[in-house]
PDB file of all heavy atoms in Angstrom:
ATOM      1  N   GLY A  22      71.818   9.180 -73.017  1.00  0.00           N
ATOM      2  CA  GLY A  22      71.181   8.590 -74.186  1.00  0.00           C
ATOM      3  C   GLY A  22      69.859   7.919 -73.887  1.00  0.00           C
ATOM      4  O   GLY A  22      69.279   8.062 -72.804  1.00  0.00           O
ATOM      5  N   GLU A  23      69.382   7.158 -74.863  1.00  0.00           N
ATOM      6  CA  GLU A  23      68.100   6.477 -74.738  1.00  0.00           C
ATOM      7  C   GLU A  23      68.272   5.130 -74.034  1.00  0.00           C
ATOM      8  O   GLU A  23      69.317   4.489 -74.152  1.00  0.00           O
ATOM      9  CB  GLU A  23      67.478   6.258 -76.125  1.00  0.00           C
ATOM     10  CG  GLU A  23      67.111   7.544 -76.838  1.00  0.00           C
ATOM     11  CD  GLU A  23      66.108   8.371 -76.058  1.00  0.00           C
ATOM     12  OE1 GLU A  23      65.135   7.793 -75.547  1.00  0.00           O
ATOM     13  OE2 GLU A  23      66.315   9.601 -75.943  1.00  0.00           O
ATOM     14  N   PRO A  24      67.265   4.685 -73.297  1.00  0.00           N
ATOM     15  CA  PRO A  24      67.368   3.391 -72.621  1.00  0.00           C
ATOM     16  C   PRO A  24      67.403   2.239 -73.617  1.00  0.00           C
ATOM     17  O   PRO A  24      66.671   2.239 -74.615  1.00  0.00           O
ATOM     18  CB  PRO A  24      66.109   3.335 -71.751  1.00  0.00           C
ATOM     19  CG  PRO A  24      65.149   4.289 -72.398  1.00  0.00           C
ATOM     20  CD  PRO A  24      65.989   5.368 -73.012  1.00  0.00           C
ATOM     21  N   ALA A  25      68.241   1.256 -73.356  1.00  0.00           N
ATOM     22  CA  ALA A  25      68.314   0.049 -74.182  1.00  0.00           C
ATOM     23  C   ALA A  25      67.133  -0.861 -73.849  1.00  0.00           C
ATOM     24  O   ALA A  25      66.324  -0.575 -72.953  1.00  0.00           O
ATOM     25  CB  ALA A  25      69.632  -0.666 -73.924  1.00  0.00           C
ATOM     26  N   ALA A  26      67.028  -1.942 -74.580  1.00  0.00           N
ATOM     27  CA  ALA A  26      65.965  -2.915 -74.309  1.00  0.00           C
ATOM     28  C   ALA A  26      66.044  -3.382 -72.861  1.00  0.00           C
ATOM     29  O   ALA A  26      67.123  -3.713 -72.361  1.00  0.00           O
ATOM     30  CB  ALA A  26      66.092  -4.101 -75.255  1.00  0.00           C
ATOM     31  N   GLY A  27      64.902  -3.380 -72.178  1.00  0.00           N
ATOM     32  CA  GLY A  27      64.852  -3.818 -70.790  1.00  0.00           C
ATOM     33  C   GLY A  27      65.251  -2.760 -69.781  1.00  0.00           C
ATOM     34  O   GLY A  27      65.258  -3.034 -68.582  1.00  0.00           O
ATOM     35  N   GLU A  28      65.578  -1.559 -70.256  1.00  0.00           N
ATOM     36  CA  GLU A  28      66.013  -0.486 -69.357  1.00  0.00           C
ATOM     37  C   GLU A  28      64.975   0.620 -69.238  1.00  0.00           C
ATOM     38  O   GLU A  28      64.048   0.713 -70.051  1.00  0.00           O
ATOM     39  CB  GLU A  28      67.319   0.129 -69.856  1.00  0.00           C
ATOM     40  CG  GLU A  28      68.541  -0.763 -69.723  1.00  0.00           C
ATOM     41  CD  GLU A  28      69.813  -0.010 -70.087  1.00  0.00           C
ATOM     42  OE1 GLU A  28      69.741   1.002 -70.817  1.00  0.00           O
ATOM     43  OE2 GLU A  28      70.894  -0.452 -69.639  1.00  0.00           O
ATOM     44  N   ALA A  29      65.177   1.472 -68.231  1.00  0.00           N
ATOM     45  CA  ALA A  29      64.403   2.699 -68.074  1.00  0.00           C
ATOM     46  C   ALA A  29      65.380   3.836 -67.785  1.00  0.00           C
ATOM     47  O   ALA A  29      66.404   3.627 -67.137  1.00  0.00           O
ATOM     48  CB  ALA A  29      63.391   2.573 -66.943  1.00  0.00           C
ATOM     49  N   ARG A  30      65.058   5.027 -68.282  1.00  0.00           N
ATOM     50  CA  ARG A  30      65.852   6.202 -67.945  1.00  0.00           C
ATOM     51  C   ARG A  30      65.140   6.964 -66.840  1.00  0.00           C
ATOM     52  O   ARG A  30      63.954   7.288 -66.968  1.00  0.00           O
ATOM     53  CB  ARG A  30      66.054   7.098 -69.163  1.00  0.00           C
ATOM     54  CG  ARG A  30      67.064   8.240 -68.900  1.00  0.00           C
ATOM     55  CD  ARG A  30      67.359   9.059 -70.135  1.00  0.00           C
ATOM     56  NE  ARG A  30      66.232   9.898 -70.525  1.00  0.00           N
ATOM     57  CZ  ARG A  30      65.691   9.905 -71.741  1.00  0.00           C
ATOM     58  NH1 ARG A  30      66.166   9.125 -72.702  1.00  0.00           N
ATOM     59  NH2 ARG A  30      64.671  10.709 -72.002  1.00  0.00           N
ATOM     60  N   VAL A  31      65.862   7.235 -65.757  1.00  0.00           N
ATOM     61  CA  VAL A  31      65.288   7.853 -64.561  1.00  0.00           C
ATOM     62  C   VAL A  31      65.992   9.172 -64.283  1.00  0.00           C
ATOM     63  O   VAL A  31      67.231   9.241 -64.286  1.00  0.00           O
ATOM     64  CB  VAL A  31      65.428   6.923 -63.338  1.00  0.00           C
ATOM     65  CG1 VAL A  31      64.912   7.608 -62.072  1.00  0.00           C
ATOM     66  CG2 VAL A  31      64.686   5.613 -63.571  1.00  0.00           C
ATOM     67  N   ARG A  32      65.204  10.225 -64.046  1.00  0.00           N
ATOM     68  CA  ARG A  32      65.756  11.494 -63.562  1.00  0.00           C
ATOM     69  C   ARG A  32      65.604  11.512 -62.051  1.00  0.00           C
ATOM     70  O   ARG A  32      64.495  11.461 -61.514  1.00  0.00           O
ATOM     71  CB  ARG A  32      65.023  12.684 -64.187  1.00  0.00           C
ATOM     72  CG  ARG A  32      65.545  14.045 -63.682  1.00  0.00           C
ATOM     73  CD  ARG A  32      65.051  15.208 -64.500  1.00  0.00           C
ATOM     74  NE  ARG A  32      65.582  15.177 -65.863  1.00  0.00           N
ATOM     75  CZ  ARG A  32      66.780  15.654 -66.216  1.00  0.00           C
ATOM     76  NH1 ARG A  32      67.576  16.192 -65.288  1.00  0.00           N
ATOM     77  NH2 ARG A  32      67.169  15.593 -67.464  1.00  0.00           N
ATOM     78  N   HIS A  33      66.729  11.554 -61.348  1.00  0.00           N
ATOM     79  CA  HIS A  33      66.720  11.474 -59.893  1.00  0.00           C
ATOM     80  C   HIS A  33      66.181  12.754 -59.251  1.00  0.00           C
ATOM     81  O   HIS A  33      66.552  13.862 -59.648  1.00  0.00           O
ATOM     82  CB  HIS A  33      68.130  11.221 -59.365  1.00  0.00           C
ATOM     83  CG  HIS A  33      68.635   9.842 -59.602  1.00  0.00           C
ATOM     84  ND1 HIS A  33      69.886   9.577 -60.116  1.00  0.00           N
ATOM     85  CD2 HIS A  33      68.053   8.624 -59.400  1.00  0.00           C
ATOM     86  CE1 HIS A  33      70.051   8.276 -60.206  1.00  0.00           C
ATOM     87  NE2 HIS A  33      68.965   7.668 -59.790  1.00  0.00           N
ATOM     88  N   GLU A  34      65.347  12.571 -58.249  1.00  0.00           N
ATOM     89  CA  GLU A  34      64.937  13.646 -57.368  1.00  0.00           C
ATOM     90  C   GLU A  34      65.780  13.648 -56.093  1.00  0.00           C
ATOM     91  O   GLU A  34      65.975  14.701 -55.476  1.00  0.00           O
ATOM     92  CB  GLU A  34      63.460  13.497 -57.006  1.00  0.00           C
ATOM     93  CG  GLU A  34      62.511  13.628 -58.187  1.00  0.00           C
ATOM     94  CD  GLU A  34      62.433  15.048 -58.723  1.00  0.00           C
ATOM     95  OE1 GLU A  34      62.710  15.987 -57.940  1.00  0.00           O
ATOM     96  OE2 GLU A  34      62.112  15.222 -59.909  1.00  0.00           O
ATOM     97  N   ALA A  35      66.277  12.490 -55.706  1.00  0.00           N
ATOM     98  CA  ALA A  35      67.140  12.360 -54.533  1.00  0.00           C
ATOM     99  C   ALA A  35      67.911  11.046 -54.646  1.00  0.00           C
ATOM    100  O   ALA A  35      67.453  10.089 -55.274  1.00  0.00           O
ATOM    101  CB  ALA A  35      66.331  12.389 -53.241  1.00  0.00           C
ATOM    102  N   VAL A  36      69.084  11.024 -54.017  1.00  0.00           N
ATOM    103  CA  VAL A  36      69.969   9.860 -54.046  1.00  0.00           C
ATOM    104  C   VAL A  36      70.377   9.548 -52.611  1.00  0.00           C
ATOM    105  O   VAL A  36      70.570  10.463 -51.798  1.00  0.00           O
ATOM    106  CB  VAL A  36      71.216  10.155 -54.912  1.00  0.00           C
ATOM    107  CG1 VAL A  36      72.236   9.019 -54.819  1.00  0.00           C
ATOM    108  CG2 VAL A  36      70.811  10.403 -56.357  1.00  0.00           C
ATOM    109  N   GLY A  37      70.534   8.273 -52.295  1.00  0.00           N
ATOM    110  CA  GLY A  37      70.924   7.881 -50.944  1.00  0.00           C
ATOM    111  C   GLY A  37      72.426   7.789 -50.770  1.00  0.00           C
ATOM    112  O   GLY A  37      73.167   7.504 -51.717  1.00  0.00           O
ATOM    113  N   LEU A  38      72.887   8.037 -49.548  1.00  0.00           N
ATOM    114  CA  LEU A  38      74.289   7.887 -49.159  1.00  0.00           C
ATOM    115  C   LEU A  38      74.397   6.722 -48.197  1.00  0.00           C
ATOM    116  O   LEU A  38      73.644   6.642 -47.222  1.00  0.00           O
ATOM    117  CB  LEU A  38      74.790   9.162 -48.479  1.00  0.00           C
ATOM    118  CG  LEU A  38      76.205   9.101 -47.894  1.00  0.00           C
ATOM    119  CD1 LEU A  38      77.245   9.143 -48.997  1.00  0.00           C
ATOM    120  CD2 LEU A  38      76.436  10.251 -46.904  1.00  0.00           C
ATOM    121  N   ASN A  39      75.348   5.812 -48.459  1.00  0.00           N
ATOM    122  CA  ASN A  39      75.515   4.631 -47.624  1.00  0.00           C
ATOM    123  C   ASN A  39      76.990   4.327 -47.406  1.00  0.00           C
ATOM    124  O   ASN A  39      77.841   4.693 -48.226  1.00  0.00           O
ATOM    125  CB  ASN A  39      74.836   3.423 -48.285  1.00  0.00           C
ATOM    126  CG  ASN A  39      73.351   3.606 -48.398  1.00  0.00           C
ATOM    127  OD1 ASN A  39      72.614   3.413 -47.430  1.00  0.00           O
ATOM    128  ND2 ASN A  39      72.879   3.992 -49.570  1.00  0.00           N
ATOM    129  N   PHE A  40      77.289   3.636 -46.317  1.00  0.00           N
ATOM    130  CA  PHE A  40      78.685   3.355 -45.992  1.00  0.00           C
ATOM    131  C   PHE A  40      79.355   2.516 -47.069  1.00  0.00           C
ATOM    132  O   PHE A  40      80.557   2.653 -47.331  1.00  0.00           O
ATOM    133  CB  PHE A  40      78.795   2.656 -44.633  1.00  0.00           C
ATOM    134  CG  PHE A  40      79.974   3.142 -43.838  1.00  0.00           C
ATOM    135  CD1 PHE A  40      79.821   4.086 -42.846  1.00  0.00           C
ATOM    136  CD2 PHE A  40      81.253   2.674 -44.105  1.00  0.00           C
ATOM    137  CE1 PHE A  40      80.914   4.566 -42.128  1.00  0.00           C
ATOM    138  CE2 PHE A  40      82.345   3.141 -43.396  1.00  0.00           C
ATOM    139  CZ  PHE A  40      82.179   4.084 -42.400  1.00  0.00           C
ATOM    140  N   ILE A  41      78.593   1.659 -47.732  1.00  0.00           N
ATOM    141  CA  ILE A  41      79.178   0.834 -48.784  1.00  0.00           C
ATOM    142  C   ILE A  41      79.738   1.693 -49.909  1.00  0.00           C
ATOM    143  O   ILE A  41      80.689   1.293 -50.605  1.00  0.00           O
ATOM    144  CB  ILE A  41      78.154  -0.191 -49.320  1.00  0.00           C
ATOM    145  CG1 ILE A  41      78.843  -1.231 -50.204  1.00  0.00           C
ATOM    146  CG2 ILE A  41      77.028   0.510 -50.071  1.00  0.00           C
ATOM    147  CD1 ILE A  41      77.926  -2.356 -50.656  1.00  0.00           C
ATOM    148  N   ASP A  42      79.207   2.901 -50.088  1.00  0.00           N
ATOM    149  CA  ASP A  42      79.740   3.804 -51.115  1.00  0.00           C
ATOM    150  C   ASP A  42      81.203   4.135 -50.826  1.00  0.00           C
ATOM    151  O   ASP A  42      82.014   4.288 -51.757  1.00  0.00           O
ATOM    152  CB  ASP A  42      78.934   5.103 -51.158  1.00  0.00           C
ATOM    153  CG  ASP A  42      77.452   4.881 -51.427  1.00  0.00           C
ATOM    154  OD1 ASP A  42      77.079   3.778 -51.857  1.00  0.00           O
ATOM    155  OD2 ASP A  42      76.664   5.823 -51.189  1.00  0.00           O
ATOM    156  N   THR A  43      81.544   4.263 -49.551  1.00  0.00           N
ATOM    157  CA  THR A  43      82.937   4.561 -49.195  1.00  0.00           C
ATOM    158  C   THR A  43      83.841   3.364 -49.472  1.00  0.00           C
ATOM    159  O   THR A  43      85.023   3.541 -49.782  1.00  0.00           O
ATOM    160  CB  THR A  43      83.073   4.984 -47.722  1.00  0.00           C
ATOM    161  OG1 THR A  43      82.838   3.869 -46.854  1.00  0.00           O
ATOM    162  CG2 THR A  43      82.087   6.101 -47.392  1.00  0.00           C
ATOM    163  N   TYR A  44      83.294   2.149 -49.357  1.00  0.00           N
ATOM    164  CA  TYR A  44      84.088   0.960 -49.678  1.00  0.00           C
ATOM    165  C   TYR A  44      84.381   0.894 -51.176  1.00  0.00           C
ATOM    166  O   TYR A  44      85.474   0.512 -51.598  1.00  0.00           O
ATOM    167  CB  TYR A  44      83.341  -0.307 -49.269  1.00  0.00           C
ATOM    168  CG  TYR A  44      83.023  -0.438 -47.795  1.00  0.00           C
ATOM    169  CD1 TYR A  44      82.002  -1.281 -47.364  1.00  0.00           C
ATOM    170  CD2 TYR A  44      83.731   0.271 -46.826  1.00  0.00           C
ATOM    171  CE1 TYR A  44      81.696  -1.411 -46.016  1.00  0.00           C
ATOM    172  CE2 TYR A  44      83.436   0.139 -45.473  1.00  0.00           C
ATOM    173  CZ  TYR A  44      82.422  -0.705 -45.080  1.00  0.00           C
ATOM    174  OH  TYR A  44      82.119  -0.838 -43.748  1.00  0.00           O
ATOM    175  N   HIS A  45      83.395   1.249 -51.993  1.00  0.00           N
ATOM    176  CA  HIS A  45      83.608   1.291 -53.448  1.00  0.00           C
ATOM    177  C   HIS A  45      84.624   2.370 -53.811  1.00  0.00           C
ATOM    178  O   HIS A  45      85.518   2.148 -54.633  1.00  0.00           O
ATOM    179  CB  HIS A  45      82.286   1.558 -54.161  1.00  0.00           C
ATOM    180  CG  HIS A  45      81.360   0.397 -54.164  1.00  0.00           C
ATOM    181  ND1 HIS A  45      79.987   0.530 -54.115  1.00  0.00           N
ATOM    182  CD2 HIS A  45      81.594  -0.937 -54.206  1.00  0.00           C
ATOM    183  CE1 HIS A  45      79.425  -0.663 -54.122  1.00  0.00           C
ATOM    184  NE2 HIS A  45      80.364  -1.571 -54.180  1.00  0.00           N
ATOM    185  N   ARG A  46      84.485   3.543 -53.179  1.00  0.00           N
ATOM    186  CA  ARG A  46      85.388   4.651 -53.488  1.00  0.00           C
ATOM    187  C   ARG A  46      86.827   4.340 -53.096  1.00  0.00           C
ATOM    188  O   ARG A  46      87.777   4.656 -53.807  1.00  0.00           O
ATOM    189  CB  ARG A  46      84.912   5.899 -52.754  1.00  0.00           C
ATOM    190  CG  ARG A  46      85.671   7.179 -53.074  1.00  0.00           C
ATOM    191  CD  ARG A  46      85.650   8.134 -51.896  1.00  0.00           C
ATOM    192  NE  ARG A  46      86.474   7.669 -50.806  1.00  0.00           N
ATOM    193  CZ  ARG A  46      86.120   7.630 -49.522  1.00  0.00           C
ATOM    194  NH1 ARG A  46      84.910   8.030 -49.145  1.00  0.00           N
ATOM    195  NH2 ARG A  46      86.957   7.179 -48.590  1.00  0.00           N
ATOM    196  N   SER A  47      87.003   3.696 -51.942  1.00  0.00           N
ATOM    197  CA  SER A  47      88.351   3.433 -51.428  1.00  0.00           C
ATOM    198  C   SER A  47      89.024   2.243 -52.095  1.00  0.00           C
ATOM    199  O   SER A  47      90.246   2.098 -52.014  1.00  0.00           O
ATOM    200  CB  SER A  47      88.299   3.186 -49.920  1.00  0.00           C
ATOM    201  OG  SER A  47      87.660   1.948 -49.642  1.00  0.00           O
ATOM    202  N   GLY A  48      88.223   1.379 -52.713  1.00  0.00           N
ATOM    203  CA  GLY A  48      88.773   0.180 -53.320  1.00  0.00           C
ATOM    204  C   GLY A  48      88.656  -1.059 -52.455  1.00  0.00           C
ATOM    205  O   GLY A  48      89.054  -2.151 -52.872  1.00  0.00           O
ATOM    206  N   LEU A  49      88.099  -0.918 -51.234  1.00  0.00           N
ATOM    207  CA  LEU A  49      87.898  -2.098 -50.392  1.00  0.00           C
ATOM    208  C   LEU A  49      87.001  -3.105 -51.098  1.00  0.00           C
ATOM    209  O   LEU A  49      87.231  -4.317 -51.041  1.00  0.00           O
ATOM    210  CB  LEU A  49      87.289  -1.683 -49.053  1.00  0.00           C
ATOM    211  CG  LEU A  49      87.008  -2.816 -48.061  1.00  0.00           C
ATOM    212  CD1 LEU A  49      88.295  -3.521 -47.643  1.00  0.00           C
ATOM    213  CD2 LEU A  49      86.276  -2.285 -46.825  1.00  0.00           C
ATOM    214  N   TYR A  50      85.953  -2.585 -51.766  1.00  0.00           N
ATOM    215  CA  TYR A  50      85.120  -3.408 -52.645  1.00  0.00           C
ATOM    216  C   TYR A  50      85.432  -2.938 -54.068  1.00  0.00           C
ATOM    217  O   TYR A  50      84.894  -1.930 -54.520  1.00  0.00           O
ATOM    218  CB  TYR A  50      83.640  -3.214 -52.352  1.00  0.00           C
ATOM    219  CG  TYR A  50      83.151  -3.725 -51.008  1.00  0.00           C
ATOM    220  CD1 TYR A  50      81.833  -3.526 -50.623  1.00  0.00           C
ATOM    221  CD2 TYR A  50      83.992  -4.400 -50.130  1.00  0.00           C
ATOM    222  CE1 TYR A  50      81.362  -3.981 -49.402  1.00  0.00           C
ATOM    223  CE2 TYR A  50      83.531  -4.859 -48.909  1.00  0.00           C
ATOM    224  CZ  TYR A  50      82.214  -4.650 -48.545  1.00  0.00           C
ATOM    225  OH  TYR A  50      81.757  -5.102 -47.334  1.00  0.00           O
ATOM    226  N   PRO A  51      86.302  -3.638 -54.798  1.00  0.00           N
ATOM    227  CA  PRO A  51      86.795  -3.133 -56.095  1.00  0.00           C
ATOM    228  C   PRO A  51      85.702  -3.017 -57.155  1.00  0.00           C
ATOM    229  O   PRO A  51      84.791  -3.853 -57.240  1.00  0.00           O
ATOM    230  CB  PRO A  51      87.839  -4.181 -56.495  1.00  0.00           C
ATOM    231  CG  PRO A  51      88.222  -4.871 -55.227  1.00  0.00           C
ATOM    232  CD  PRO A  51      86.978  -4.885 -54.395  1.00  0.00           C
ATOM    233  N   LEU A  52      85.811  -1.970 -57.958  1.00  0.00           N
ATOM    234  CA  LEU A  52      84.956  -1.744 -59.119  1.00  0.00           C
ATOM    235  C   LEU A  52      85.843  -1.552 -60.347  1.00  0.00           C
ATOM    236  O   LEU A  52      86.951  -1.037 -60.238  1.00  0.00           O
ATOM    237  CB  LEU A  52      84.106  -0.476 -58.938  1.00  0.00           C
ATOM    238  CG  LEU A  52      83.077  -0.433 -57.820  1.00  0.00           C
ATOM    239  CD1 LEU A  52      82.505   0.975 -57.702  1.00  0.00           C
ATOM    240  CD2 LEU A  52      81.960  -1.446 -58.083  1.00  0.00           C
ATOM    241  N   PRO A  53      85.362  -1.936 -61.538  1.00  0.00           N
ATOM    242  CA  PRO A  53      86.095  -1.581 -62.753  1.00  0.00           C
ATOM    243  C   PRO A  53      86.125  -0.060 -62.900  1.00  0.00           C
ATOM    244  O   PRO A  53      85.105   0.609 -62.687  1.00  0.00           O
ATOM    245  CB  PRO A  53      85.262  -2.229 -63.867  1.00  0.00           C
ATOM    246  CG  PRO A  53      84.403  -3.241 -63.197  1.00  0.00           C
ATOM    247  CD  PRO A  53      84.147  -2.728 -61.819  1.00  0.00           C
ATOM    248  N   LEU A  54      87.273   0.484 -63.234  1.00  0.00           N
ATOM    249  CA  LEU A  54      87.434   1.938 -63.337  1.00  0.00           C
ATOM    250  C   LEU A  54      87.586   2.382 -64.783  1.00  0.00           C
ATOM    251  O   LEU A  54      88.128   1.649 -65.609  1.00  0.00           O
ATOM    252  CB  LEU A  54      88.659   2.372 -62.521  1.00  0.00           C
ATOM    253  CG  LEU A  54      88.578   2.112 -61.018  1.00  0.00           C
ATOM    254  CD1 LEU A  54      89.896   2.491 -60.341  1.00  0.00           C
ATOM    255  CD2 LEU A  54      87.421   2.871 -60.383  1.00  0.00           C
ATOM    256  N   PRO A  55      87.145   3.606 -65.104  1.00  0.00           N
ATOM    257  CA  PRO A  55      86.437   4.552 -64.225  1.00  0.00           C
ATOM    258  C   PRO A  55      85.031   4.057 -63.905  1.00  0.00           C
ATOM    259  O   PRO A  55      84.492   3.204 -64.595  1.00  0.00           O
ATOM    260  CB  PRO A  55      86.407   5.833 -65.060  1.00  0.00           C
ATOM    261  CG  PRO A  55      86.423   5.346 -66.474  1.00  0.00           C
ATOM    262  CD  PRO A  55      87.291   4.129 -66.479  1.00  0.00           C
ATOM    263  N   SER A  56      84.455   4.622 -62.853  1.00  0.00           N
ATOM    264  CA  SER A  56      83.161   4.127 -62.391  1.00  0.00           C
ATOM    265  C   SER A  56      82.352   5.246 -61.757  1.00  0.00           C
ATOM    266  O   SER A  56      82.896   6.232 -61.251  1.00  0.00           O
ATOM    267  CB  SER A  56      83.358   3.012 -61.360  1.00  0.00           C
ATOM    268  OG  SER A  56      82.119   2.564 -60.828  1.00  0.00           O
ATOM    269  N   GLY A  57      81.045   5.060 -61.771  1.00  0.00           N
ATOM    270  CA  GLY A  57      80.173   5.860 -60.948  1.00  0.00           C
ATOM    271  C   GLY A  57      80.137   5.295 -59.544  1.00  0.00           C
ATOM    272  O   GLY A  57      80.804   4.303 -59.232  1.00  0.00           O
ATOM    273  N   LEU A  58      79.345   5.907 -58.674  1.00  0.00           N
ATOM    274  CA  LEU A  58      79.165   5.450 -57.303  1.00  0.00           C
ATOM    275  C   LEU A  58      77.691   5.545 -56.936  1.00  0.00           C
ATOM    276  O   LEU A  58      76.918   6.242 -57.594  1.00  0.00           O
ATOM    277  CB  LEU A  58      79.981   6.299 -56.330  1.00  0.00           C
ATOM    278  CG  LEU A  58      81.510   6.180 -56.368  1.00  0.00           C
ATOM    279  CD1 LEU A  58      82.138   7.235 -55.470  1.00  0.00           C
ATOM    280  CD2 LEU A  58      81.954   4.795 -55.955  1.00  0.00           C
ATOM    281  N   GLY A  59      77.317   4.885 -55.865  1.00  0.00           N
ATOM    282  CA  GLY A  59      75.955   5.005 -55.351  1.00  0.00           C
ATOM    283  C   GLY A  59      75.062   3.861 -55.768  1.00  0.00           C
ATOM    284  O   GLY A  59      75.108   3.403 -56.912  1.00  0.00           O
TER     285      GLY A  59
END
């Protein structure tokens, strides 16, 4: 959708991979579900 006030919509050319992503995925660092990652 369209960006809300104070937001920008970005089309990614590349995304980074980091070890913290595995902590989010595994639940070591809990996120509200369902969730994106990265």
Side-chain angles (χ1 to χ4, degrees):
E23 295 300 315
E28 290 187 338
R30 189 175 71 233
V31 176
R32 179 167 294 276
H33 287 133
E34 296 290 335
V36 173
L38 174 74
N39 296 280
F40 219 99
I41 192 174
D42 302 345
T43 70
Y44 299 159
H45 287 147
R46 186 209 71 227
S47 69
L49 180 63
Y50 293 176
L52 296 172
L54 297 176
S56 176
L58 291 172

